[in-house]
């Protein structure tokens, strides 16, 4: 084709050994290319085809790499990186009430949240996560952190009926939320506000309803921890006479913009109800195992069409933000639980970490696959390594063999944020020094 027939784009990634589009058909391309313009994917497909259609201001040969959409972490408390390892080997109720809530009351302030979230962003971006869905306090500070790091995020301001680190008087929750949503008006488009009611046992019916109403009016994602432990199910049944999902439904809370975190103790009727309402779920397998909360009925949820994404939860209950290990564990654990190796196949799990994760966050128009028109959030993994060679099936390798340390390059909105394994947006050594100095205070308080 003559030069004048070529369309000029900002960036052409070419000579890609394996390209995973992660579209609904989970298309895999050998010897692929991706064209990006204005931060958007213009085309992704075969190298021959794209080289015949596009010329680029910057062309990057990617031989030795697998390219795919950035991973999507559907449930994080990012700032808790600064609490990593302070409360291991405890059940959820003890962990939360005796260790985490007191530590948050002592240490979590605006500066703590910004620093902890920057640290989380560094870990996530370097490990191939380009979108995360957060829930914490001082979420304006989390937004500053995500803006500095160059990552995409849905940032959920926490709401509880008890005093919390950024709101000593819970009767002022509406004002707190309004101030947060006002601040969010000046955020860049890749950062979206959300509201996070902590759980049905820490938020009463009235709180749940006004927060969800506000989310509906403003088109925001409503987040909540649901049915994480057996204790929670018994507690909600005792208080309200219904299991947690029926309690939420009774209050009118369930729709496609409601994201339930955990869902470990769902019964078959609750699973059917979530599907009927179109509500979504974040599966946080490592956190559920570490806190011995149980195993969520993920195969049953997927079977009835509930969009299920993968989340790490916070660093005090995981203790990392690595979606590669979440994928591997999800694929393996449900096989063992079901006594059936065909359960949670690699393709389905990769979909959870990409396309279905985007759907769970209400972002399927923007991210989760490399379909034309979506934002150019891309990761490139080095595959010329002993643990990835030979490669018969790239999806198998991503789920069962690849590691977050294989991520070599990352783009968010078409902007390069990691090059040759080096984070371009943050000063990592400086960040580590700052984290160490906060840890001195945390240690001096006995935690
Ligand atoms: C408003 S959400 C932030 C709030 O939630 C706490 N948290 C972290 N992990 C969990 C979990 O697995 N279950 C319940 N609550 C959790 C976090 O420490 C913050 O206080
Ligand atoms: Zn959580």
């Amino acid at each position: 084709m003559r030069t004048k027939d070529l369309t000029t784009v900002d960036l052409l990634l070419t000579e890609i050994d394996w390209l995973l589009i992660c579209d609904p058909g989970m298309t895999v391309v050998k010897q692929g290319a991706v064209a990006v313009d204005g931060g958007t994917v213009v085309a992704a497909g075969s190298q021959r085809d794209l080289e015949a259609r596009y010329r680029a201001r910057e062309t990057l040969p990617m031989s030795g790499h697998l390219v795919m959409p950035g991973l999507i972490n559907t449930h994080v408390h990012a700032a808790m990186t600064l609490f990593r390892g302070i409360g291991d080997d405890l059940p959820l109720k003890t962990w939360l009430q005796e260790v985490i809530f007191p530590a948050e009351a002592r240490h979590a302030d605006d500066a703590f949240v910004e620093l902890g979230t920057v640290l989380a962003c560094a870990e996530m971006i370097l490990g191939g996560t380009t979108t995360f869905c957060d829930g914490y306090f001082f979420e304006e500070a989390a937004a500053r952190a995500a803006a500095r790091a160059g990552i995409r995020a849905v940032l959920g301001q926490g709401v509880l009926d008890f005093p919390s680190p950024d709101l000593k008087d819970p009767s002022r929750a509406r004002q707190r939320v309004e101030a947060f949503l006002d601040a969010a008006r000046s955020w860049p488009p890749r950062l979206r506000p959300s509201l996070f009611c902590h759980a049905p046992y820490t938020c009463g019916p009235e709180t749940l309803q006004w927060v969800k109403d506000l989310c509906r009016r403003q088109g925001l994602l409503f987040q909540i921890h649901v049915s994480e432990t057996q204790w929670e199910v018994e507690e909600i049944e005792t208080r309200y006479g219904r299991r947690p999902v029926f309690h939420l439904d009774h209050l009118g809370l369930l729709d496609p913009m409601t994201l339930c975190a955990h869902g470990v103790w769902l019964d078959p009727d609750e699973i059917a109800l979530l599907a009927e309402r179109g509500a979504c779920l974040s599966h946080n397998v490592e956190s559920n195992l570490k806190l011995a909360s149980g195993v969520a009925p993920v195969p049953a949820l997927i079977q009835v069409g509930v969009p299920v994404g993968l989340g790490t939860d916070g660093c005090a209950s995981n203790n990392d933000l690595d979606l590669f290990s979440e994928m591997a564990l999800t694929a393996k654990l449900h096989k063992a639980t079901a006594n059936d190796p065909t359960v949670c196949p690699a393709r389905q799990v990769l979909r959870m970490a990409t396309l279905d994760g985007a759907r769970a966050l209400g972002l399927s128009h923007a991210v989760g696959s490399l379909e034309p028109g979506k934002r150019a959030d891309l990761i490139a993994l080095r595959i010329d390594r002993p643990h990835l060679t030979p490669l018969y099936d790239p999806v198998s390798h991503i789920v069962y063999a690849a590691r977050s340390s294989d991520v070599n390059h990352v783009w968010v909105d078409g902007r390069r944020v990691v090059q040759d394994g080096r984070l371009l947006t943050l000063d990592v050594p400086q960040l580590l020094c700052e984290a160490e100095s906060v840890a001195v205070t945390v240690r001096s308080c006995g935690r």
Side-chain angles (χ1 to χ4, degrees):
M1 191 177 284
R2 286 167 301 149
T3 308
K4 73 178 173 59
D5 297 325
L6 299 180
T7 303
T8 303
V9 293
D10 290 338
L11 175 66
L12 188 64
L13 303 183
T14 187
E15 296 175 35
I16 299 167
D17 289 14
W18 291 97
L19 174 63
L20 309 186
I21 311 264
C22 295
D23 55 345
M26 293 305 271
T27 308
V28 172
V29 181
K30 190 164 165 31
Q31 220 43 52
V34 181
V36 174
D37 197 57
T40 300
V41 175
V42 174
S46 88
Q47 178 183 337
R48 261 215 345 220
D49 179 31
L50 265 71
E51 284 183 347
R53 288 161 54 201
Y54 300 100
R55 83 173 139 215
R57 293 177 191 94
E58 183 186 13
T59 299
L60 289 177
M62 301 295 298
S63 64
H65 286 83
L66 176 154
V67 172
M68 59 181 284
L71 301 175
I72 297 178
N73 188 337
T74 53
H75 183 68
V76 200
H77 310 286
M80 295 181 82
T81 48
L82 294 172
F83 291 139
R84 193 185 324 244
I86 68 164
D88 291 340
D89 312 326
L90 296 169
L92 180 97
K93 202 160 164 249
T94 320
W95 173 81
L96 203 54
Q97 290 180 357
E98 292 177 24
V99 180
I100 297 299
F101 283 162
E104 288 173 336
R106 274 195 296 269
H107 304 291
D109 61 14
D110 184 89
F112 179 101
V113 170
E114 181 167 352
L115 177 61
T117 306
V118 174
L119 190 60
C121 291
E123 179 179 351
M124 287 190 277
I125 296 171
L126 286 166
T129 295
T130 52
T131 299
F132 73 102
C133 182
D134 199 41
Y136 212 60
F137 313 107
F138 299 101
E139 281 292 288
E140 298 89 340
R144 289 199 301 276
R148 282 168 59 192
I151 198 169
R152 189 179 305 284
V154 177
L155 300 162
Q157 170 63 34
V159 179
L160 287 90
D161 283 343
F162 301 98
S164 60
D166 62 356
L167 192 64
K168 303 299 166 210
D169 175 4
S171 73
R172 297 187 55 79
R174 286 173 199 257
Q175 290 94 317
R176 173 71 192 97
V177 161
E178 271 160 27
F180 165 72
L181 295 176
D182 270 353
R185 287 184 231 293
S186 62
W187 292 356
R190 67 169 201 285
L191 305 182
R192 296 201 166 200
S194 157
L195 299 176
F196 196 133
C197 279
H198 173 260
Y201 56 90
T202 47
C203 294
E206 195 198 326
T207 303
L208 294 172
Q209 282 184 316
W210 75 253
V211 174
K212 179 64 193 181
D213 280 354
L214 185 52
C215 285
R216 274 210 182 96
R217 274 187 271 122
Q218 302 208 12
L220 309 177
L221 184 73
F222 172 84
Q223 304 181 59
I224 184 162
H225 293 115
V226 186
S227 283
E228 185 175 6
T229 59
Q230 242 172 331
W231 170 84
E232 174 186 334
V233 176
E234 285 158 17
E235 180 69 17
I236 297 304
E237 277 186 316
T238 306
R239 281 195 214 172
Y240 304 111
R242 294 183 174 86
R243 292 179 65 90
V245 170
F246 280 91
H247 171 57
L248 299 187
D249 189 55
H250 180 70
L251 299 174
L253 265 51
L254 299 181
D255 66 26
M257 285 296 275
T258 290
L259 176 61
C260 302
H262 301 302
V264 172
W265 292 94
L266 302 172
D267 76 4
D269 292 339
E270 290 178 294
I271 293 171
L273 185 55
L274 287 174
E276 200 179 316
R277 298 286 183 254
C280 305
L281 191 113
S282 178
H283 178 40
N284 315 310
V285 63
E286 285 194 36
S287 170
N288 295 157
L289 291 184
K290 181 161 182 276
L291 293 165
S293 301
V295 178
V298 167
L301 285 156
I302 291 177
Q303 198 176 9
V304 295
V306 174
V308 179
L310 296 183
T312 54
D313 216 346
C315 264
S317 62
N318 184 307
N319 291 3
D320 61 40
L321 304 176
D322 182 348
L323 280 177
F324 283 91
S325 59
E326 299 291 333
M327 282 194 283
L329 193 54
T330 298
K332 292 170 191 165
L333 178 69
H334 295 288
K335 291 172 172 47
T337 311
N339 194 22
D340 178 357
T342 67
V343 162
C344 280
R347 260 164 196 70
Q348 190 174 80
V349 173
L350 176 61
R351 216 185 136 106
M352 292 164 78
T354 54
L355 195 59
D356 289 350
R359 201 168 147 210
L361 302 188
L363 293 179
S364 48
H365 60 286
V367 290
S369 68
L370 301 183
E371 294 168 277
K374 289 203 182 184
R375 303 306 294 162
D377 292 2
L378 302 156
I379 62 176
L381 285 83
R382 287 206 67 137
I383 52 172
D384 51 355
R385 298 192 162 176
H387 64 282
L388 299 175
T389 306
L391 188 161
Y392 302 109
D393 175 354
V395 175
S396 166
H397 269 21
I398 287 298
V399 173
Y400 293 116
R403 303 168 188 158
S404 52
S405 54
D406 298 323
V407 174
N408 200 33
H409 308 295
V410 179
W411 293 261
V412 176
D413 267 343
R415 171 191 180 204
R416 177 92 76 112
V417 290
V418 174
Q419 182 169 11
D420 296 315
R422 205 170 52 82
L423 187 57
L424 302 178
T425 49
L426 298 167
D427 180 345
V428 175
Q430 166 68 21
L431 185 57
L432 304 189
C433 284
E434 290 174 33
E436 283 298 350
S437 54
V438 170
V440 171
T441 321
V442 175
R443 276 190 206 103
S444 72
C445 293
R447 293 283 177 199

